[in-house]
Amino acid sequence: MSSRLLPGTRALRTFEAAGRHLNFTRAAEELGLTPAAVSYQIKEMEEQLGITLFTRTSRSIRLTPAGAVVFEAASEALESLRHAVGRARRMTRESAPLRLTLGARFATNWLLPRLARLRETVPSLELSFDTTDEVRDFDLDEVDVAIRFGTGHYAKTRSDRLFETFVVPVCSPTLLAADPDLKTPRDLLRHTLCYVDCRVGGKAWPNWPMWMAAAGIDDFDGSRCVGFSDASHVVQAVLDGGAVGLAEPAMIAGELSQGRLVRLFDVSLEVAPEYAYYLVYPESSAQDPRIQAFREWLLEETGHTAPYSSFGPIQTKGLCATSQR
């Protein structure tokens, strides 16, 4: 087919949105057009190709068999173009600030307190932050590197294991002062116990029944525990003085060092050992001097003398192992 008979990118975007929603109004809302404009562009595209793309009724539209073929190809072409443009933009960003995406909890509690040391070590490196728990696409979202909690196995990327994590019970000094007899794990039963209620890789994040079992308490009733979807809510409940919570020491290091939180007992629970915090970046950007500098500093900061490649061995300790840290 002559290239002059192929629709332009704008028409393809309109057609792809209409085919995905099967609704001109929703496609128009996504594209910032009117439904009439979407309908006109689709009709124009049909006339240009000599193909009926949609079957229209008074209440709905649906793709014709020919339209379904064109829709699949248009979707793949637009996706490929978006990724190519993203890679091209990334190639031109080596003189710009390094764009880092990471979760708010990691940013606030781990990275930000260390930024002064980063500036001392690599004064020429500038960072900008995309603070979110959503997983970003390196090609589409204009980010350079990510710090994520996961397995470290991601397509077309390199990953360096920073550190695994575990949880310990913590409380406020106020609660401890009000209950000086809090001396054994069983003494926790008279307090409100909170934890993060979520799953990682199909396994429950360490909770109070698991911790009590590790501490040797087999008759624990967890029905009165309070679960939160976010660790920051657990920490806040503990800081307010009304609860004992399970928290990651690395994420509350500031509060522990300042005495705002106190660790209780020498029993901890590892999170699923195949999961850890990782530095992740595209394979195609491995030689970016900004990424190399940030990676070297980060691995040194986390105590690594050699990188942990995502292709390295996976540790196999049990999910609920009790450890002395």
Side-chain angles (χ1 to χ4, degrees):
M1 180 180 287
S2 172
S3 60
R4 65 185 176 84
L5 295 180
L6 293 176
T9 304
R10 182 181 179 186
L12 286 177
R13 287 180 62 240
T14 301
F15 168 63
E16 189 275 337
R20 179 161 33 86
H21 291 292
L22 292 179
N23 185 290
F24 287 169
T25 299
R26 287 200 291 270
E29 291 172 352
E30 176 182 315
L31 299 169
L33 301 173
T34 65
V38 170
S39 179
Y40 176 79
Q41 287 189 37
I42 297 298
K43 183 178 180 181
E44 190 176 56
M45 185 173 166
E46 289 177 322
E47 292 175 351
Q48 181 181 3
L49 295 174
I51 297 171
T52 300
L53 300 171
F54 291 98
T55 298
R56 301 162 174 83
T57 69
S58 60
R59 295 181 177 272
S60 64
I61 63 171
R62 60 183 177 85
L63 288 162
T64 64
V69 171
V70 178
F71 173 75
E72 181 179 357
S75 300
E76 292 176 355
L78 290 171
E79 184 71 8
S80 177
L81 181 59
R82 282 192 289 266
H83 280 275
V85 170
R87 290 194 297 271
R89 286 176 174 168
R90 195 166 62 245
M91 292 170 63
T92 67
R93 290 205 300 264
E94 290 193 2
S95 60
L98 186 70
R99 184 74 169 161
L100 169 65
T101 179
L102 74 171
R105 186 163 48 95
F106 194 100
T108 301
N109 297 294
W110 196 92
L111 183 60
L112 292 181
R114 293 169 167 80
L115 281 185
R117 289 203 291 271
L118 174 61
R119 295 191 183 100
E120 290 176 1
T121 306
V122 195
S124 62
L125 181 64
E126 295 184 41
L127 291 179
S128 66
F129 297 95
D130 171 56
T131 307
T132 178
D133 288 321
E134 294 182 10
V135 177
R136 297 300 197 191
D137 186 307
F138 287 116
D139 290 338
L140 302 182
D141 295 316
E142 296 191 20
V143 294
D144 299 301
V145 294
I147 294 176
R148 283 288 177 256
F149 184 77
T151 63
H153 298 282
Y154 311 106
K156 298 181 181 179
T157 67
R158 294 189 182 182
S159 300
D160 290 291
R161 189 179 181 111
L162 302 178
F163 55 85
E164 66 281 356
T165 192
F166 59 101
V167 300
V168 298
V170 293
C171 72
S172 70
T174 302
L175 184 146
L176 200 57
D179 186 3
D181 294 328
L182 181 55
K183 297 178 179 179
T184 70
R186 187 169 290 277
D187 295 331
L188 291 171
L189 301 183
R190 56 179 175 262
H191 292 280
T192 300
L193 305 178
C194 59
Y195 66 101
V196 178
D197 185 9
C198 71
R199 302 186 70 82
V200 177
K203 299 178 181 179
W205 188 268
N207 55 39
W208 279 108
M210 295 161 63
W211 188 90
M212 289 292 180
I217 299 176
D218 299 324
D219 58 346
F220 177 70
D221 179 7
S223 62
R224 296 179 61 186
C225 294
V226 180
F228 293 99
S229 61
D230 192 283
S232 62
H233 298 151
V234 173
V235 174
Q236 190 58 54
V238 176
L239 287 171
D240 290 342
V244 178
L246 290 175
E248 300 170 81
M251 297 298 116
I252 55 170
E255 287 86 352
L256 290 171
S257 64
Q258 296 163 15
R260 298 175 62 205
L261 291 178
V262 179
R263 175 175 174 175
L264 300 172
F265 312 115
D266 198 17
V267 178
S268 63
L269 286 180
E270 290 184 343
V271 178
E274 65 270 27
Y275 283 77
Y277 288 97
Y278 284 88
L279 173 68
V280 186
Y281 49 94
E283 286 182 344
S284 58
S285 300
Q287 301 308 312
D288 185 327
R290 301 169 306 156
I291 294 178
Q292 290 181 333
F294 183 63
R295 173 183 178 274
E296 182 177 343
W297 172 82
L298 199 58
L299 290 175
E300 183 175 348
E301 191 70 21
T302 55
H304 286 245
T305 57
Y308 184 106
S309 168
S310 62
F311 302 103
I314 297 295
Q315 298 179 14
T316 56
K317 296 179 183 178
L319 171 64
C320 300
T322 302
S323 56
Q324 308 295 321
R325 304 262 182 173

